[in-house]
């Protein structure tokens, strides 16, 4: 089943002088893990930000489980749904940021329960139960009462992943989840994502970890200059890229 | 007049000093937030008008504003001067301090990293939930030292009420000083303010400490 779909996405900045996304088409099926790779400035983050409604697209469709968040009109402009529609759509996805963006004034537990009670209307008991389940899974149950500033970067990112999962999203987006971490801490995050993949969580991951993308993803998308240059089976794309641009990009990771 | 009667008379005025102090805080702290939100309004007219008003309030002496609020209605509309001068005094103080608090709030709100808004938005918080639950508590912690500064200044500023002859401590002290041709009331007043501010410092310090549970 198709969970997420973007068609003909156009996005520019600076009064249309900087064309960042040029007719992007992506769809993701339930249970699929998609890795997005590409050089800096190619538009990967912008793509995720459009998908998660943090940026508005200039043109294109944005669809979650057959519900339109935005629809292309006859002039090729994105027309977004109303507040209620966007709220419904928002409950379909979660996003894990590069720099975590935990709420520093909340304990780890409250970071996980606050949105559950405020947004989903769950009871405090249910929210706490769900939060503790997830913390257990992340190996952080003992940190429930701690504050984010007392945790390592890797622990903070695991809390951020748990916070996103607590909302029970259908699809989870990651924007370079290990880039802000010391190299020795990236492993614990990749392990968590790997585990989620084994549980058939649908995920779209922007990453520079080529070997990770190759091992975990079902599909790799290579972006450059605002277009999808190549996509397909990770081993094919990463080991035997068809396109010259992909080859050039990957040669920088040759030691991987 | 003995020192004791002097102190007694002045402590009577001190109740009024406290009235100015607390009423000003009660009104200006929330009013400042409203002014800050208007100042940050996306509507250019609203934000520019608010900015102008703030700059007038911060750019003219509080003493002048006290006179304007107290006697302005008399000169403009022929209304009699309010019998209880506490009302115009508190109005002038509250408006003036709201302008200062507004700028402190605005600075605090604008210093918040955009990631906090984005994380809340993706989780589905509404704009007002984000502001109340995520932004405001962090802003309060950030601006507490600046608020303390203003509160300490307010303690001393209450003495400006003498310009409209409101019978707070300093006004009484000044009258005694004139009639007794003595400097002692000023010394007494100085000690009052100093002790008051020591208490304020202590309380604000406690509040700041209570917010020290994170970063
Ligand atoms: N809010 C914005 N305003 C203006 N320009 C922007 C904005 N966001 C992104 N850009 C520009 O869009 C282009 C694509 O940026 P984007 O962050 O999507 O790239 P990226 O592929 O994620 O790169 P990186 O690997 O460095 O994270 C860049 O040239 C960037 O400067
Ligand atoms: Mg990026």
């Amino acid at each position: 089943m198709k969970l997420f779909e973007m068609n003909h996405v156009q996005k520019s900045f600076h009064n249309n002088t900087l064309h960042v996304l040029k007719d992007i088409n992506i769809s993701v099926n339930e249970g699929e893990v998609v890795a997005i790779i590409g050089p800096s400035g190619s538009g990967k983050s912008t793509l995720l930000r459009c998908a998660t409604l943090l940026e508005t697209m200039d043109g294109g469709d944005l669809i979650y489980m057959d519900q339109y968040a935005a629809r292309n009109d006859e002039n090729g402009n994105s027309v977004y749904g109303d507040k209620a529609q966007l709220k419904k759509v928002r409950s379909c996805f979660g996003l894990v940021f590069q720099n975590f963006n935990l709420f520093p004034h909340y304990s780890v537990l409250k970071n996980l329960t606050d949105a559950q009670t405020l947004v989903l209307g769950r009871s405090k008991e249910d929210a706490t139960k769900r939060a503790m389940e997830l913390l257990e899974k992340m190996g952080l149950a003992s940190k429930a009462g701690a504050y984010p500033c007392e945790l390592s970067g890797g622990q903070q990112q695991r809390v951020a992943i748990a916070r996103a999962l607590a909302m029970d999203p259908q699809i989870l987006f990651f924007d370079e989840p290990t880039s802000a971490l010391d190299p020795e801490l990236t492993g614990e995050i990749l392990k968590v994502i790997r585990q989620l993949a084994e549980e058939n969580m649908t995920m779209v991951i922007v990453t520079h970890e080529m070997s990770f993308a190759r091992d975990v993803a079902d599909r790799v998308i290579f972006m450059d200059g605002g277009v999808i240059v190549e996509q397909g089976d990770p081993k094919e794309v990463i080991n035997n890229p068809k396109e010259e641009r992909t080859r050039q990009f990957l040669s920088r990771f040759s030691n991987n | 007049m003995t020192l004791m009667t002097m102190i007694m008379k002045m402590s009577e005025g001190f109740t009024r000093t406290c009235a100015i102090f607390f009423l000003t805080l009660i009104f200006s702290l929330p009013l400042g937030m409203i002014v800050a939100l208007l100042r940050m309004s996306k509507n250019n007219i609203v934000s520019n008008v608010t900015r102008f008003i703030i700059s007038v309030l911060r750019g003219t002496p509080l003493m002048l504003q006290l006179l304007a609020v107290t006697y302005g209605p008399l000169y403009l509309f022929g209304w009699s001067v309010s019998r209880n001068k506490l009302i115009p005094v508190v109005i002038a103080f509250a408006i003036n301090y709201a302008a200062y608090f507004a700028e402190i709030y605005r600075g605090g709100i604008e210093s918040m990293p955009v990631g906090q808004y984005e994380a809340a938005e993706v989780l589905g918080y509404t704009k007002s939930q984000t502001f109340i639950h995520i932004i405001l508590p962090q802003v309060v912690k950030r601006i507490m030292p600046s608020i303390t500064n203003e509160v300490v200044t307010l303690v001393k500023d209450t003495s400006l009420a003498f310009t409209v002859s409101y019978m707070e401590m300093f006004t009484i002290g000044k009258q005694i000083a004139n009639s007794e041709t003595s400097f002692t009331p000023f010394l007494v007043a100085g000690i009052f303010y100093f002790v008051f501010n020591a208490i304020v410092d202590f309380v604000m310090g406690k509040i700041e400490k209570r917010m020290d549970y994170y970063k």
Side-chain angles (χ1 to χ4, degrees), chain A residues 49 90 102 104-106 114, chain B residues 116 118 121 125 133 138:
Chain A
R49 291 172 59 80
R90 231 177 230 120
L102 291 174
H105 60 306
Y106 283 167
D114 199 51
Chain B
Q116 292 289 303
E118 293 184 343
E121 187 179 338
Y125 288 76
H133 294 268
Q138 297 185 57

Side-chain angles (χ1 to χ4, degrees), chain B residues 68-126:
Chain B
V69 175
T70 312
Y71 300 113
L74 172 69
Y75 292 115
L76 288 176
F77 314 110
W79 297 355
S80 57
V81 174
S82 170
R83 259 202 314 141
N84 185 354
K85 288 226 182 85
L86 179 61
I87 294 168
V89 166
V90 167
I91 291 175
F93 268 91
I95 292 175
N96 179 273
Y97 271 81
Y100 283 92
F101 287 138
E103 287 299 277
I104 293 174
Y105 293 150
R106 185 172 68 96
I109 291 169
E110 286 178 351
S111 77
M112 286 297 296
V114 65
Q116 292 289 303
Y117 291 93
E118 293 184 343
E121 187 179 338
V122 171
L123 288 166
Y125 288 76
T126 62

